[in-house]
Amino acid sequence: MPKDNSIKSVLIIGSGPIVIGQACEFDYAGSQSARSIREEGIEVILINSNPATIMTDPTMADHVYLLPLTTKSIIQILKEHPQIDAVLPTMGGQTALNLCLEADEKGIWKDFNVRLIGVDVNAIEITEDREKFKNLLNKIGIPQAPAKTATSFLKGKEIAQEFGFPLVIRPSFTLGGTGAAIVYKKEDFDEKLTYGLEMSPIHEVLIDKALMGWKEYELELLRDKNDNVVIICTIENMDPMGIHTGDSITVAPAMTLSDTTFQRMRDMAILMMRSIGNFAGGCNVQFAVSPDDKEDIVAIEINPRVSRSSALASKATGYPIAKIASKLALGYHLDELQNQITKSTSALFEPTLDYVIVKIPRWNFDKFEGADRTLGLQMKSVGEVMGIGRSFQEALHKATQSLEIKRNGLGADGKGYKNYEQIIDKLTYASWDRVFVIYDAIAMGIPLSRIHEITKIDMWFLKQYEELYSLEKEISKYKIDTLPRDLLLESKQKGFADRQIAHMMGCLESQVYKLREEQNINRVYKLVDTCAAEFKALTPYYYSTFEAEIETASGEKYVHNESIVTNKKKVVVLGSGPNRIGQGIEFDYSCVHGVLAAKECGYETIMINCNPETVSTDFDTADKLYFEPVFWEHIYDIIRHEKPEGVIVQLGGQTALKLAEKLSKYGIKILGTSFDALDLAEDRGRFSELLTELKIPFPQFGIAENADQASALADVLDFPLLVRPSYVLGGQGMKIVINKQELEEHVIDLLKNIPGNKLLLDHYLDGAIEAEADAICDGENVYIIGIMEHIEPCGIHSGDSNATLPPFNLGEFVMQQIKDHTKKIALALRTVGLINIQFAIKDDMVYIIEANPRASRTVPFIAKAYGEPYVNYATKVMLGENKVTDFKFNPQLKGYAIKQPVFSFSKFQNVNKALGPEMKSTGESILFIDDLKDDQFYELYSRRKMYLSK
């Protein structure tokens, strides 16, 4: 049966602001879904309150509503669009499912004659309600851990008494494991049970016997209305049960699963999927497997929607799950759709991988003082990276190189732990850096059997680590001029970076690179093609690896490179790497728009990024996608292979900017603002000299390299002081200090964490108003796209402030100073592209806090508020295609738009929630108000100083 022709208009519910547990993987799903449905000639209406994403771009749907995700908003949209036939709630994570259920309970869908597609209410309830799910599994004969449901404190206590410890508490209807906990001893049970009952919207928890040390697997499936089911991907968690899958290191395909157990698991997953009701689309099923020879399988949960793992599985296999799931929701069958990669075979197939992918989460514990850093059932990571390689070892190394935590990969960078007690402790209480600590433990000589006993990580993975360490020891015996070629090739095939190999032999990274060139050990690029090259793939989606040379009968030696270089003019866009606090999805939005604008200008576009959650790494966003670490060695090799006209660095946040110096040094053209101008804005000394020349005021400051210098400076500058390290993003390490003791403590702490860094001390303008402006400049003309005033006072990071567009109480005199300063600075920095400038206003005087000649966190917000494609314009300026004066700017905004930060403090009990100069928000929403009498504005304004911390 082909598509249901009665559907003419579909409402897609988005996932709202980014919080820990529900991040941009749902924006990726929603964006893909909107495109997929519109391809069918069906109108798409989208509701989502997140301004930072591509999903809410006006080009993505016929009507985009940037409204709070409430039933009130749903009713408003349904009244305005009586033509809506159906609602698709499976693309917006738990937020969309919960809103859909609430609307159903209130009878809203019935009132407006709208039907659910892709899932039915029954399927959501069976999978979310722990008691109903348990009963279903019993009915269909699928094994599960012994478990009982509690809806009261007393009932919970009875169950604990019956089962004994350790126990797992899981609240119903929550996302990212919110409120879930493992309880090892009786004393901790009461507090964890109370918290779990509070976190569940229906005050219900499932208490089950903890399957500690069991292995965990996830299957990603698709099902159509004809009951065809395909398994897209099998993912193995390297971490055993007890750590949330969002916080686990995961591997695809599964590495340690026997074929017979896989077949049993597969049958169970298909049976579960067919038993939860009438639904067509994507589904995620999780299982635990006993670590003994019996390999008993127990079902953990099933999600009848796209999930965090389906974004990962889409990127891992090249099979666009959300796109196909949306078509299935419209009534198509799998055998009627084509494989998106080959375009010649059907979608009714199961991808085969001839490579390995490793996902590692990215945490931001440094932003949450006092947070419990141990990993458990409640997700704590803010983003993730994926590495693709020909072996587990290569993929693992690439993933560790992608994290951007100042590590060069596993080991061989001088940053490993050397203390036995500390290593044992980090292995015992799963820590965020356990992926590195396992290597340190092997280097220290701790036997694999002991590491396995503590961590319960499968011996196969530990042996892979041991091989890497043995190779490091072997290479360390040589010097650069004696290293055998086969050892160098093996180390590259196993993913070691040039700078790690240099560390092993005590030489320079450039010497290793030169040796590789001389020995003809070069990266080759392979296609991600879903079918292990059995059919020709038409999508240019690549990863790199190293191959031994093949010798032909005629004696010719070669390696097989699947990335064919065209003779078109090309541009490389550097992506923003993993999501983290301070650099989130808004930079991905900018990268995607940069790619689309460069395409419009006739360039072949090349995207380099390693974040599996986002739209920039979709296989059909850029003309060519290199799924590689945004890490110098990988980028340089791609650039040498592709020979682009230049590289765009100003759209990928600090990740891409940090590479500008090296690109410049190696003679690679940076498109837009030059490295020198970028550096001038970052270097406070040079920047303040420029401001002095321009007669623009700035807070008095000084630079210190140790506590003594800082103390002497404090006498000159006067307290309060804002202390920060140079070259940081998201206000990392910034603090306001009010006396010498606080100053000394913070300076010593900073220099311990970031040795060799220069510290900046600014006189903090207490009680000042903060504002910021974004502008596009072509080197001669400047157009200010938006000026925002922060509701909170100066001293709270701009990413944590409620920002109002346009300003609500800055007089004409102040506004003129902001405009004049912005134009002067943009021109003086020879900006070509975007620039963001932050101001402090005190006694009607406008001071400069900082200038960033790059895309900023606020650009997508301004573009959405005014309905203008500013990144598109800025990219065309960077490419030299247009001048600012070529565009007809026509911003439209009735009233005010407010950018509201969203925090994930609920994931961390006992954490300090005070706000200050270091950013802590994980996402944002947009609020439109008609005037300043609006109750929501009044409430925000009255609370503006509540969280200010010194």
Side-chain angles (χ1 to χ4, degrees):
M1 183 188 102
K3 98 172 183 216
D4 181 341
N5 288 318
S6 68
I7 300 173
K8 300 281 190 284
S9 180
V10 173
L11 171 67
I12 296 179
I13 304 176
S15 54
I18 284 175
V19 287
I20 291 176
Q22 184 174 277
C24 44
E25 62 277 358
F26 294 105
D27 288 299
Y28 163 70
S31 305
Q32 235 190 29
S33 175
R35 286 168 58 195
S36 181
I37 293 172
R38 286 177 91 189
E39 274 176 7
E40 300 299 322
I42 294 171
E43 178 185 50
V44 169
I45 290 148
L46 170 73
I47 175 171
N48 195 4
S49 56
N50 187 342
T53 77
I54 270 287
M55 186 194 197
T56 53
D57 203 60
T59 58
M60 293 309 282
D62 297 284
H63 302 278
V64 175
Y65 283 89
L66 282 154
L67 290 173
L69 291 166
T70 60
T71 50
K72 185 182 168 193
S73 301
I74 295 280
I75 292 168
Q76 179 192 329
I77 292 170
L78 294 175
K79 279 181 177 168
E80 282 180 38
H81 297 277
Q83 76 276 24
I84 293 174
D85 307 301
V87 58
L88 181 64
T90 52
M91 299 293 157
Q94 198 68 36
T95 300
L97 281 189
N98 287 356
L99 179 58
C100 177
L101 279 182
E102 192 189 331
D104 188 71
E105 279 163 20
K106 291 178 176 174
I108 294 168
W109 306 129
K110 212 178 229 157
D111 292 349
F112 287 92
N113 197 21
V114 171
R115 61 191 163 110
L116 256 68
I117 56 170
V119 72
D120 63 2
V121 168
N122 191 33
I124 303 172
E125 287 191 327
I126 281 179
T127 55
E128 293 289 346
D129 186 318
R130 304 282 180 187
E131 184 66 18
K132 286 183 179 172
F133 181 56
K134 193 165 74 84
N135 295 339
L136 171 77
L137 292 186
N138 285 336
K139 192 172 126 194
I140 60 177
I142 301 272
Q144 56 188 310
K148 288 195 172 175
T149 307
T151 48
S152 70
F153 183 76
L154 207 61
K155 182 70 181 151
K157 295 279 280 186
E158 281 173 23
I159 297 166
Q161 199 171 317
E162 183 189 333
F163 283 170
F165 295 91
L167 288 173
V168 174
I169 297 174
R170 300 175 202 274
S172 297
F173 287 91
T174 65
L175 185 101
T178 298
I182 303 169
V183 186
Y184 292 95
K185 45 187 194 288
K186 198 175 168 184
E187 300 83 76
D188 302 334
F189 183 71
D190 292 10
E191 184 195 339
K192 298 271 168 60
L193 174 63
T194 308
Y195 186 60
L197 287 165
E198 278 173 12
M199 285 295 117
S200 168
I202 59 167
H203 305 294
E204 174 190 282
V205 297
L206 185 77
I207 299 174
D208 57 5
K209 198 95 181 96
L211 300 170
M212 304 308 293
W214 281 45
K215 288 152 74 165
E216 190 165 3
Y217 295 90
E218 291 181 78
L219 267 57
E220 291 298 324
L221 299 89
L222 278 171
R223 173 196 186 192
D224 67 19
K225 288 236 165 80
N226 211 15
D227 227 3
N228 290 313
V229 176
V230 286
I231 295 183
I232 304 302
C233 193
T234 311
I235 299 170
E236 174 166 1
N237 289 12
M238 190 173 106
D239 299 286
M241 286 286 291
I243 296 178
H244 190 282
T245 56
D247 276 356
S248 292
I249 294 153
T250 60
V251 187
M255 293 283 143
T256 71
L257 190 60
S258 69
D259 189 52
T260 48
T261 308
F262 170 61
Q263 295 305 332
R264 276 165 48 220
M265 192 184 283
R266 184 196 161 89
D267 293 344
M268 284 183 190
I270 292 171
L271 176 60
M272 284 163 73
M273 196 177 183
R274 286 177 170 161
S275 307
I276 59 172
N278 170 35
F279 91 97
C283 186
N284 162 270
V285 192
Q286 291 169 26
F287 292 101
V289 174
S290 66
D292 52 22
D293 291 343
K294 290 201 307 212
E295 293 197 310
D296 292 328
I297 305 176
V298 166
I300 304 167
E301 66 179 10
I302 182 167
N303 293 307
R305 56 171 169 81
V306 296
S307 66
R308 181 177 311 100
S309 308
S310 49
L312 181 76
S314 295
K315 302 295 167 71
T317 59
Y319 191 115
I321 294 172
K323 186 174 187 179
I324 300 294
S326 302
K327 303 248 195 240
L328 301 180
L330 297 174
Y332 278 110
H333 295 162
L334 280 160
D335 50 356
E336 296 170 329
L337 299 170
Q338 55 173 202
N339 172 349
Q340 302 292 303
I341 295 267
T342 63
K343 302 287 189 191
S344 58
T345 49
S346 98
L348 183 60
F349 80 103
E350 298 193 344
T352 337
L353 275 57
D354 54 357
Y355 47 85
V356 180
I357 73 108
V358 172
K359 173 213 92 181
I360 303 180
R362 174 73 158 74
W363 291 271
N364 259 134
F365 288 123
D366 51 337
K367 300 282 183 184
F368 300 102
E369 264 177 74
D372 172 11
R373 296 182 176 216
T374 315
L375 305 182
L377 292 177
Q378 180 169 299
M379 185 173 160
K380 295 175 180 178
S381 62
V382 290
E384 59 189 39
V385 297
M386 182 176 103
I388 312 181
R390 269 291 153 101
S391 64
F392 167 72
Q393 292 165 328
E394 185 179 29
L396 180 68
H397 257 133
K398 280 171 132 182
T400 53
Q401 285 154 10
S402 301
L403 284 168
E404 293 180 53
I405 53 169
K406 300 190 169 69
R407 295 297 301 257
N408 296 333
L410 289 178
D413 62 1
K415 293 181 180 170
Y417 291 102
K418 304 272 192 295
N419 178 309
Y420 176 80
E421 274 76 27
Q422 193 178 19
I423 288 174
I424 294 292
D425 185 67
K426 279 183 167 288
L427 292 177
T428 309
Y429 303 101
S431 61
W432 66 272
D433 53 357
R434 186 155 78 160
V435 63
F436 297 98
V437 178
I438 294 165
Y439 194 91
D440 300 337
I442 291 169
M444 182 167 271
I446 298 171
L448 293 195
S449 55
R450 175 91 172 107
I451 299 171
H452 171 70
E453 183 194 324
I454 297 171
T455 64
K456 300 291 186 280
I457 290 172
D458 193 280
M459 275 305 253
W460 185 87
F461 292 113
L462 298 179
K463 283 184 173 142
Q464 297 286 307
Y465 266 92
E466 188 178 51
E467 276 181 26
L468 288 174
Y469 179 64
S470 303
L471 183 59
E472 180 186 338
K473 271 201 320 198
E474 186 60 28
I475 290 173
S476 301
K477 295 174 185 169
Y478 294 92
K479 286 280 169 245
I480 187 80
D481 47 3
T482 59
L483 182 68
R485 184 183 190 277
D486 59 340
L487 263 188
L488 179 57
L489 176 62
E490 188 188 347
S491 66
K492 295 310 290 180
Q493 287 178 321
K494 292 190 169 175
F496 279 111
D498 288 351
R499 57 181 77 163
Q500 286 177 292
I501 299 164
H503 181 87
M504 294 173 204
M505 297 190 295
C507 65
L508 298 171
E509 179 184 0
S510 53
Q511 289 175 282
V512 178
Y513 193 89
K514 191 163 160 270
L515 180 66
R516 279 207 291 118
E517 276 206 304
E518 286 164 8
Q519 305 258 13
N520 204 20
I521 297 174
N522 296 313
R523 275 192 167 76
V524 290
Y525 298 97
K526 299 288 178 188
L527 275 162
V528 171
D529 62 5
T530 80
C531 48
E534 287 176 37
F535 301 95
K536 187 176 185 309
L538 297 176
T539 54
Y541 168 14
Y542 302 99
Y543 67 96
S544 72
T545 189
F546 288 85
E547 284 192 348
E549 290 174 323
I550 302 162
E551 193 167 338
T552 62
S554 60
E556 183 204 345
K557 289 182 179 178
Y558 75 99
V559 284
H560 186 51
N561 195 337
E562 294 175 3
S563 172
I564 310 299
V565 178
T566 67
N567 52 14
K568 296 176 190 161
K569 59 176 186 173
K570 308 174 189 63
V571 61
V572 166
V573 177
L574 290 187
S576 53
N579 262 30
R580 70 215 84 154
I581 293 174
Q583 185 173 291
I585 193 174
E586 59 280 354
F587 293 104
D588 202 72
Y589 166 93
S590 296
C591 286
V592 172
H593 268 291
V595 163
L596 300 178
K599 272 188 191 179
E600 285 173 31
C601 297
Y603 285 86
E604 180 180 326
T605 53
I606 296 163
M607 182 76 217
I608 306 175
N609 204 1
C610 55
N611 185 343
E613 301 177 299
T614 65
V615 177
S616 72
T617 54
D618 208 354
F619 64 75
D620 56 359
T621 295
D623 294 315
K624 266 182 151 176
L625 165 67
Y626 285 94
F627 207 107
E628 291 285 280
V630 188
F631 187 82
W632 171 250
E633 181 183 321
H634 295 272
I635 288 160
Y636 188 50
D637 278 346
I638 294 166
I639 290 168
R640 290 192 65 182
H641 178 63
E642 289 284 356
K643 301 181 180 57
E645 306 288 308
V647 179
I648 293 178
V649 296
Q650 57 172 283
L651 300 176
Q654 205 71 12
T655 297
L657 272 194
K658 280 192 289 205
L659 290 155
E661 182 177 9
K662 257 194 150 160
L663 289 167
S664 181
K665 192 172 129 191
Y666 279 79
I668 296 157
K669 188 178 179 189
I670 293 170
L671 296 166
T673 310
S674 69
F675 164 68
D676 186 56
L678 298 171
D679 188 59
L680 173 56
E682 286 278 4
D683 184 326
R684 278 308 283 256
R686 289 176 69 196
F687 185 54
S688 55
E689 281 166 20
L690 179 73
L691 293 177
T692 308
E693 265 173 52
L694 297 171
K695 298 189 173 53
I696 294 176
F698 54 92
Q700 286 308 301
F701 81 101
I703 294 172
E705 291 183 18
N706 55 47
D708 283 342
Q709 288 177 12
S711 180
L713 261 175
D715 295 334
V716 180
L717 297 173
D718 202 12
F719 291 101
L721 288 173
L722 176 64
V723 184
R724 55 178 155 175
S726 54
Y727 280 95
V728 296
L729 187 89
Q732 195 181 340
M734 279 195 196
K735 197 168 183 183
I736 297 166
V737 294
I738 55 170
N739 58 39
K740 287 216 169 174
Q741 187 190 341
E742 277 190 11
L743 174 67
E744 188 177 297
E745 281 170 13
H746 188 53
V747 167
I748 289 166
D749 191 44
L750 273 181
L751 292 172
K752 186 180 78 197
N753 292 328
I754 317 174
N757 202 312
K758 287 184 177 157
L759 302 181
L760 309 168
L761 277 67
D762 293 75
H763 175 67
Y764 167 59
L765 296 165
D766 205 3
I769 294 169
E770 193 165 338
E772 57 185 306
D774 282 283
I776 302 174
C777 177
D778 58 20
E780 295 163 11
N781 312 284
V782 180
Y783 176 79
I784 297 173
I785 64 173
I787 297 172
M788 287 145 291
E789 178 182 354
H790 295 182
I791 292 176
E792 285 77 7
C794 190
I796 289 182
H797 190 280
S798 60
D800 286 353
S801 299
N802 285 279
T804 310
L805 182 78
F808 57 92
N809 73 347
L810 299 181
E812 214 164 290
F813 175 60
V814 167
M815 286 295 281
Q816 197 53 53
Q817 287 179 69
I818 289 175
K819 288 172 188 170
D820 292 346
H821 293 348
T822 302
K823 288 181 176 172
K824 271 188 188 172
I825 292 170
L827 293 170
L829 285 173
R830 300 187 297 286
T831 308
V832 179
L834 289 157
I835 185 165
N836 167 273
I837 303 177
Q838 294 177 24
F839 309 95
I841 299 137
K842 193 164 183 178
D843 305 329
D844 273 358
M845 175 78 95
V846 176
Y847 297 86
I848 303 297
I849 302 174
E850 62 179 69
N852 294 303
R854 57 166 168 82
S856 71
R857 192 173 298 104
T858 44
V859 167
F861 164 74
I862 299 169
K864 304 289 171 62
Y866 282 143
E868 291 267 75
Y870 292 126
V871 179
N872 181 292
Y873 296 162
T875 306
K876 288 172 179 171
V877 165
M878 283 179 234
L879 294 170
E881 293 285 318
N882 292 94
K883 289 283 186 196
V884 166
T885 46
D886 295 340
F887 302 108
K888 288 185 173 58
F889 294 103
N890 183 25
Q892 302 288 317
L893 174 62
K894 186 170 71 63
Y896 296 84
I898 301 174
K899 180 177 80 66
Q900 296 185 283
V902 174
F903 301 88
S904 294
F905 290 130
S906 63
K907 294 286 178 188
F908 303 102
Q909 286 169 282
N910 315 321
V911 81
N912 174 11
K913 296 180 179 62
L915 303 181
E918 180 155 352
M919 185 172 162
K920 292 179 179 176
S921 62
T922 51
E924 61 196 45
S925 63
I926 191 168
L927 170 70
F928 291 99
I929 57 171
D930 291 334
D931 54 52
L932 300 176
K933 296 188 185 101
D934 190 284
D935 288 348
Q936 284 168 286
F937 176 79
Y938 194 79
E939 191 195 339
L940 284 173
Y941 194 72
S942 64
R943 288 171 45 213
R944 69 191 184 280
K945 292 187 178 176
M946 195 163 112
Y947 288 130
L948 182 64
S949 76
K950 287 275 168 79

